[in-house]
Amino acid sequence: MPLIISDSNNYTRRFNKLSLNNAITYVLKRLKLSSKIIYITFISDYKMKKINNEYRQKNTSTDVLSFNYENSSNNILGEILISMNYCKKNILKNKNSLSKEVIILSIHGILHLLGYDHDNLKNEKTMFELQEKLYSEYKSKFLKLHNH
């Protein structure tokens, strides 16, 4: 199984983890990474702020952080941390469902693991277009499979 979800505070009880698993499995297959393992950990805003400050010297929270472990001796691509509090802020701003927002943030985290970034307008455009394309492809495929 390519996805391991960790959630010690039950943040994820409010959305369908099966759809997250299906989406990430699809995205990893699409990116030819289906043999890789990804950990997704849901954390509080407080913990996200601490980790963001420790590793990026930014004393603010953020929605998603990614840590690449690919150089380790196993098949782990990396870990994605998602702040559910920040995710809820994104939902209000983006008008997404909780499930969609978590999937989008997970795809975003995977792209960061692969080296994509949004540190300038050109990179941001490339990354966000691929993120949207992967989500749309997954959604289209998923709807076709479940509507027949």
Side-chain angles (χ1 to χ4, degrees):
M1 178 187 242
L3 177 64
I4 299 168
I5 297 173
S6 174
D7 178 17
S8 59
N9 291 315
N10 292 320
Y11 291 115
T12 59
R13 70 175 178 262
R14 291 182 222 98
F15 70 88
N16 184 342
K17 286 177 277 307
L18 181 59
S19 65
L20 175 61
N21 189 51
N22 289 340
I24 299 312
T25 301
Y26 172 79
V27 168
L28 291 176
K29 191 175 184 179
R30 169 75 172 66
L31 296 172
K32 297 179 179 22
L33 297 168
S34 42
S35 66
K36 297 292 184 181
I37 298 168
I38 291 182
Y39 290 89
I40 296 181
T41 304
F42 294 91
I43 62 174
S44 69
D45 233 20
Y46 172 78
K47 195 167 185 179
M48 182 65 88
K49 181 179 177 181
K50 276 182 71 171
I51 295 168
N52 201 21
N53 191 32
E54 183 179 342
Y55 289 94
R56 298 179 65 226
Q57 292 71 51
K58 295 187 179 193
N59 195 24
T60 59
S61 184
T62 188
D63 48 6
V64 62
L65 286 175
S66 300
F67 296 91
N68 190 307
Y69 301 151
E70 196 166 29
N71 292 331
S72 60
S73 60
N74 48 34
N75 239 10
I76 300 171
L77 179 61
E79 181 174 15
I80 298 167
L81 304 178
I82 295 176
S83 165
M84 287 304 286
N85 305 80
Y86 213 99
C87 181
K88 290 176 191 169
K89 294 176 195 173
N90 286 355
I91 289 168
L92 295 173
K93 185 175 76 177
N94 301 331
K95 308 283 190 258
N96 289 336
S97 69
L98 178 60
S99 184
K100 179 178 180 179
E101 191 63 33
V102 168
I103 291 170
I104 293 281
L105 291 176
S106 299
I107 293 170
H108 188 87
I110 290 170
L111 294 178
H112 275 306
L113 291 175
L114 295 175
Y116 287 87
D117 207 343
H118 42 85
D119 52 350
N120 62 49
L121 288 175
K122 182 180 180 224
N123 290 346
E124 181 176 312
K125 184 177 188 297
T126 301
M127 182 176 185
F128 282 89
E129 282 178 359
L130 180 54
Q131 175 181 301
E132 190 54 43
K133 180 180 181 189
L134 290 167
Y135 178 79
S136 295
E137 286 177 6
Y138 156 72
K139 198 68 179 165
S140 168
K141 185 174 178 107
F142 181 77
L143 288 175
K144 282 181 189 169
L145 288 174
H146 289 50
N147 285 337
H148 289 359

